[in-house]
């Protein structure tokens, strides 16, 4: 039974008008492995990465039920595994690390290279989850650690702050107050939103809703940065929430 699928990088440079070929796949059952790298002269590993800066035997992917493990055989290069469903969520696999477990269902493995970084994708099976009723025991109900109302204005402020990283996990920018105002004003009920009101919502999120414990936020924008980091780390705002914002304008 196949549990892990590796989508190989496209090694062919295509014309923009050429039809896109079907992706090349390596299918792995539990216990099976596939090595990756640029290979030996006259031989290619199952996952070939043709770049002179990638080791001949750079690493290995091993299927393990509903997740997979990554080996980094490089002596110097760190590999990054991105969660394609997350907002910047990733893990780093240090040189020489053997059997690092990867918990993501949809992943991109990125290796440093001489030109642009080399990458391939790994798809694991859908994870199994416990039924909600398992917590329905006698006694006081479990309270929510972060009680957010998606219909509220403060939630729209938090969503606008998180939007760049939700749309592009590699984005490091957190919008400023002026950018959030510009983003929200087209919405009904936000036309008269002011900078002072927006700052009030940011303070309310930091002090009451997400309860940032340390009141020292460092340089300007530190409070907004911490709000975004916490919201994305605990999945409090998600990609589907972006539908609450006006359509993004391409620049």
């Amino acid at each position: 039974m196949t549990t892990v699928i590796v989508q190989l990088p496209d090694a062919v440079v295509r014309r923009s008008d050429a039809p896109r070929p079907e992706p090349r796949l390596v299918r792995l059952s539990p216990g099976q492995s596939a090595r990756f790298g640029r290979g030996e002269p006259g031989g290619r590993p199952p996952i070939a990465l043709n770049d002179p800066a990638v080791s001949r035997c750079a690493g290995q992917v091993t299927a393990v039920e509903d997740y997979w493990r990554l080996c980094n055989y490089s002596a110097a290069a760190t590999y990054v595994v991105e969660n394609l469903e997350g907002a910047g969520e990733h893990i780093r696999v240090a040189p020489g690390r053997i059997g690092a477990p990867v918990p993501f269902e949809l992943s991109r493995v990125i290796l440093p290279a001489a030109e642009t970084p080399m990458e391939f994708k790994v798809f694991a099976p859908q994870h199994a989850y416990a039924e909600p009723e398992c917590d329905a025991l006698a006694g006081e109900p479990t309270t929510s650690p972060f009680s957010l109302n998606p219909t509220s204005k403060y939630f729209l402020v938090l969503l606008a702050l998180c939007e760049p990283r939700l749309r592009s996990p590699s984005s490091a920018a957190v919008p400023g107050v002026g950018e959030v105002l510009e983003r929200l004003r087209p919405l009904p009920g936000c036309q008269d939103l002011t900078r002072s009101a927006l700052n009030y919502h940011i303070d309310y999120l930091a002090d009451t809703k997400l309860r940032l414990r340390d009141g020292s936020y460092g340089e300007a924008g530190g409070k907004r940065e911490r709000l975004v980091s916490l919201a994305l780390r605990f999945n409090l705002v998600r990609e589907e929430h972006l539908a609450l914002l006006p359509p993004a304008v391409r620049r």
Side-chain angles (χ1 to χ4, degrees), residues 31-147:
Q32 292 184 329
S33 299
R35 292 197 170 190
F36 58 89
R38 75 178 196 274
E40 301 176 0
R44 290 165 58 89
I47 306 171
L49 304 174
N50 299 315
D51 187 280
V54 174
S55 301
R56 293 192 180 278
C57 183
Q60 180 173 279
V61 171
T62 301
V64 186
E65 298 299 338
D66 64 348
Y67 71 100
W68 55 283
R69 293 182 178 272
L70 180 68
C71 294
N72 181 353
Y73 295 146
S74 170
T78 295
Y79 303 156
V80 175
V81 184
E82 290 183 344
N83 181 7
L84 292 176
E85 296 181 306
E89 186 180 15
H90 67 277
I91 60 174
R92 289 187 291 268
V93 182
R97 177 72 160 90
I98 301 298
V102 179
F104 311 140
E105 293 182 28
L106 306 179
S107 309
R108 178 190 289 115
V109 181
I110 304 174
L111 287 73
E115 298 294 334
T116 57
M118 298 297 294
E119 62 182 51
F120 58 90
K121 297 177 182 177
V122 181
F123 305 95
Q126 184 175 4
H127 295 166
Y129 294 91
E131 294 294 332
E133 290 77 10
C134 71
D135 194 37
L137 302 177
E140 293 295 324
T142 303
T143 60
S144 174
F146 303 111
S147 179

Side-chain angles (χ1 to χ4, degrees), residues 2-247:
T2 298
T3 62
V4 170
I5 299 174
V6 180
Q7 181 176 321
L8 304 183
D10 187 0
V12 179
V13 177
R14 304 186 304 275
R15 303 190 316 271
S16 59
D17 60 343
R20 188 177 184 86
E22 290 294 321
R24 297 171 298 147
L25 306 176
V26 174
R27 302 178 184 273
L28 302 174
S29 298
Q32 292 184 329
S33 299
R35 292 197 170 190
F36 58 89
R38 75 178 196 274
E40 301 176 0
R44 290 165 58 89
I47 306 171
L49 304 174
N50 299 315
D51 187 280
V54 174
S55 301
R56 293 192 180 278
C57 183
Q60 180 173 279
V61 171
T62 301
V64 186
E65 298 299 338
D66 64 348
Y67 71 100
W68 55 283
R69 293 182 178 272
L70 180 68
C71 294
N72 181 353
Y73 295 146
S74 170
T78 295
Y79 303 156
V80 175
V81 184
E82 290 183 344
N83 181 7
L84 292 176
E85 296 181 306
E89 186 180 15
H90 67 277
I91 60 174
R92 289 187 291 268
V93 182
R97 177 72 160 90
I98 301 298
V102 179
F104 311 140
E105 293 182 28
L106 306 179
S107 309
R108 178 190 289 115
V109 181
I110 304 174
L111 287 73
E115 298 294 334
T116 57
M118 298 297 294
E119 62 182 51
F120 58 90
K121 297 177 182 177
V122 181
F123 305 95
Q126 184 175 4
H127 295 166
Y129 294 91
E131 294 294 332
E133 290 77 10
C134 71
D135 194 37
L137 302 177
E140 293 295 324
T142 303
T143 60
S144 174
F146 303 111
S147 179
L148 299 178
N149 179 2
T151 66
S152 65
K153 196 170 293 185
Y154 69 76
F155 187 85
L156 291 174
V157 171
L158 181 61
L159 179 58
L161 289 171
C162 296
E163 182 184 18
R165 292 187 187 174
L166 283 172
R167 295 193 184 279
S168 177
S170 60
S171 174
V174 173
V177 172
E179 294 172 294
V180 174
L181 279 174
E182 181 182 356
R183 192 73 182 98
L184 295 181
R185 274 180 176 158
L187 293 173
C190 292
Q191 292 92 340
D192 299 328
L193 191 63
T194 63
R195 294 182 69 93
S196 60
L198 185 59
N199 282 319
Y200 168 81
H201 287 299
I202 290 174
D203 289 340
Y204 179 63
L205 285 163
D207 299 336
T208 304
K209 285 299 182 179
L210 301 190
R211 302 186 303 281
L212 301 182
R213 299 301 183 190
D214 184 3
S216 175
Y217 302 111
E219 60 185 21
K223 183 183 295 185
R224 287 180 277 111
E225 173 68 38
R226 287 188 58 190
L227 283 172
V228 169
S229 296
L230 182 64
L232 296 179
R233 184 183 306 134
F234 289 102
N235 217 25
L236 305 180
V237 291
R238 300 179 295 278
E239 191 172 350
E240 60 263 30
H241 290 134
L242 292 174
L244 297 173
L245 296 176

